[in-house]
Amino acid sequence: MITKSEEINFQQQELKGRDFLTLADYTQDEISQLLDLADYIKKQKQEGIAFEPLKGKTLGMIFEKSSTRTRVSFEAGIYQLGGSGIFLSSKDIQIGRGETIADTARVLSGYLDGIMIRTFSQKTVEELAEFASIPVINGLTDLYHPCQVLADLQTIKEIKGALKGVKVVYIGDGNNMAHSLMIGAATMGMELVVSAPVGYQPDATVTEKAIQIAGEHDAKISIEVDPSVAVKDADVIYTDVWASMGQEEEQLKREQDFAGYQVNMALLSEAKKDVTFMHCLPAHRGEEVSAEVIDGKHSVVFQQAENRLHAQKALMTALMG
């Protein structure tokens, strides 16, 4: 009989050495394996059992965009797995002074066992992965945020007991969060509705890709301008800030354009009675979400934030183990 630890080890071997650039690169089974591993790692931590499969391993963490959750969860995660992490600001390394991404990738591959990068362009992450001989993890780009959605899927599964058939409604800017949620939901057989104003809807190419994936997994991806229509029968309502990092100059215009898209108790009342509220954080109370909702009984934002640690530990274990 295969034990849980033997099963986890088998799953690690299947994914070892892979990059994690977008959830579209992973099958439903592979994402399920990562989620099972995340659950296992979380339980080990809760029970105070050391789980250190990455002893002697080093993760390089490149940050061209600042962060709270991404930095702390990866740095604490690699430490808890027995390894070590090196913070690399673009101001401190030569990639910020004109060294090519390809050269940086080759050099770091000789020093490290994995790279996590949080940057602007998806092309930067893809080029880094192309020339690196070690796993590259996308910590966030302007196009995708797959690590966040891996933790989101773990959270939804914990609360709802399953993923298939769960209806998630994302309300707000059709940004990197919306894109990764679309891909993740489509792959896992879920229903996802994105409710965004005209002019702020998800990228057409990403939407087309998500709909294609959805067709392979009996999932459903759709766009609905009216949030009150979108949230009907919703199991989960999800939102993000209206102006992401780098869009601060658009704040006032976006506040006007997103009027009517705040997640508040009136909107929650139109969903299922046991609807769950999620937010990737940081949150602006009184803008995209009311304080009553984010601090209320429907909110799981801090459980969701904690799961960044467990999901990313699973990812590092599987890719770098």
Side-chain angles (χ1 to χ4, degrees):
M1 181 178 178
I2 298 176
T3 66
K4 184 64 176 179
S5 61
E6 288 172 335
E7 181 184 347
I8 293 296
N9 184 60
F10 174 71
Q11 292 171 357
Q12 287 176 230
Q13 295 303 315
E14 286 188 318
L15 299 177
K16 185 176 180 179
R18 293 269 297 274
D19 297 315
F20 189 73
L21 310 185
T22 167
L23 287 166
D25 297 332
Y26 281 67
T27 67
Q28 185 179 92
D29 285 345
E30 288 168 343
I31 293 174
S32 293
Q33 288 175 11
L34 287 170
L35 295 177
D36 287 346
L37 180 54
D39 290 341
Y40 176 80
I41 288 173
K42 183 174 183 177
K43 185 177 180 182
Q44 297 293 95
K45 187 174 188 300
Q46 289 173 337
E47 295 179 356
I49 300 172
F51 181 72
E52 299 180 328
L54 299 187
K55 279 188 176 180
K57 303 281 188 177
T58 306
L59 176 75
M61 303 178 296
I62 301 174
F63 283 87
E64 294 188 310
K65 279 190 172 186
S66 58
S67 169
T68 299
R69 280 150 292 278
T70 299
R71 178 173 178 180
V72 176
S73 57
F74 269 106
E75 196 162 346
I78 188 68
Y79 174 79
Q80 291 172 16
L81 293 170
S84 59
I86 302 176
F87 174 77
L88 302 168
S89 166
S90 58
K91 297 177 182 178
D92 301 327
I93 60 176
Q94 296 301 323
I95 196 172
R97 299 190 180 105
E99 182 172 47
T100 67
I101 296 169
D103 285 354
T104 300
R106 293 185 180 106
V107 169
L108 293 182
S109 294
Y111 300 150
L112 305 169
D113 301 287
I115 300 169
M116 187 285 299
I117 180 168
R118 182 178 170 96
T119 186
F120 295 90
S121 172
Q122 183 72 16
K123 289 183 179 179
T124 298
V125 178
E126 292 171 357
E127 186 175 354
L128 191 69
E130 179 183 353
F131 290 98
S133 59
I134 56 177
V136 172
I137 297 171
N138 179 1
L140 173 142
T141 66
D142 289 343
L143 191 63
Y144 290 116
H145 197 355
C147 287
Q148 177 65 57
V149 172
L150 194 63
D152 295 340
L153 293 174
Q154 181 184 11
T155 307
I156 294 169
K157 186 180 174 185
E158 285 176 341
I159 295 164
K160 302 300 181 183
L163 293 174
K164 190 170 180 60
V166 172
K167 180 178 179 179
V168 179
V169 178
Y170 174 89
I171 297 174
D173 188 20
N175 58 15
N176 51 5
M177 272 310 314
H179 293 161
S180 284
L181 280 168
M182 291 165 71
I183 298 296
T187 304
M188 302 312 291
M190 304 167 72
E191 179 179 359
L192 180 76
V193 183
V194 175
S195 185
V198 174
Y200 294 96
Q201 294 178 355
D203 178 84
T205 301
V206 176
T207 302
E208 183 179 349
K209 177 67 174 176
I211 291 173
Q212 175 192 335
I213 296 172
E216 300 167 3
H217 298 288
D218 194 27
K220 185 178 180 182
I221 304 295
S222 61
I223 311 293
E224 170 55 60
V225 174
D226 188 342
S228 63
V229 173
V231 299
K232 189 176 187 303
D233 296 323
D235 296 295
V236 176
I237 294 178
Y238 197 122
T239 194
D240 191 10
V241 294
W242 290 339
S244 298
M245 195 178 300
Q247 299 172 334
E248 289 81 4
E249 293 181 359
E250 303 175 24
Q251 179 68 33
L252 290 178
K253 183 178 187 304
R254 284 172 173 259
E255 286 179 12
Q256 296 171 354
D257 293 344
F258 283 94
Y261 284 81
Q262 183 188 84
V263 179
N264 48 39
M265 291 305 296
L267 192 64
L268 250 64
S269 69
E270 300 186 48
K272 288 184 178 179
K273 289 184 178 180
D274 63 345
V275 66
T276 296
F277 173 75
M278 300 178 72
H279 193 308
C280 55
L281 302 180
H284 297 159
R285 289 167 174 79
E287 291 183 19
E288 74 275 4
V289 60
S290 68
E292 189 178 12
V293 168
I294 195 169
D295 298 319
K297 66 179 183 179
H298 295 279
S299 176
V300 296
V301 297
F302 297 112
Q303 178 180 345
Q304 179 186 1
E306 180 192 329
N307 281 342
R308 286 290 301 275
L309 173 68
H310 309 303
Q312 287 160 190
K313 285 170 70 175
L315 194 57
M316 289 186 284
T317 298
L319 305 187
M320 296 168 57

